[in-house]
Amino acid sequence: MSDRSPFAQGHWWDPTRSGNGFDIFNINGQVMVVWFTYDEGGHPIWYTAGGALDSMGTQSWALLKHRWSNGRKVDPT
């Protein structure tokens, strides 16, 4: 895997914090980060950011918040 990405890709979590973690991956020079956690009310919420690998550390990537309401996914903000 190190030949395809300059960073450690994968699924990262703390076993003491059930339902929280990160997915970080690089596909064809595009990086995606997913943070899954819970909001203050205990509802699941996901944050995503992504961009070109060569822009890491030099450009900001939009952070999108994904949530659900009444069992349906709401458009990201």
Side-chain angles (χ1 to χ4, degrees), residues 1 5 7 10 16 20 24 26 33 36 38 40 47 49 52-53 55 60 67 74-76:
M1 183 134 356
S5 182
F7 56 87
T16 66
N20 292 269
I24 306 170
N26 170 20
V33 179
F36 50 97
Y38 297 94
E40 302 82 20
Y47 295 92
L53 176 62
S55 72
S60 297
R67 60 188 181 83
V74 176
D75 287 337

Side-chain angles (χ1 to χ4, degrees), residues 10-14 17-25 31-40 43-50 61-68 73 76-77:
H11 183 72
W12 305 92
W13 73 96
D14 177 350
R17 296 195 58 197
S18 180
N20 292 269
F22 292 89
D23 284 314
I24 306 170
F25 52 94
V31 177
M32 187 67 163
V33 179
V34 179
W35 172 27
F36 50 97
T37 188
Y38 297 94
D39 67 14
E40 302 82 20
H43 303 100
I45 190 165
W46 292 24
Y47 295 92
T48 60
W61 296 344
L63 180 64
L64 299 176
K65 178 169 88 172
H66 305 264
R67 60 188 181 83
W68 291 257
K73 187 174 179 305
T77 56

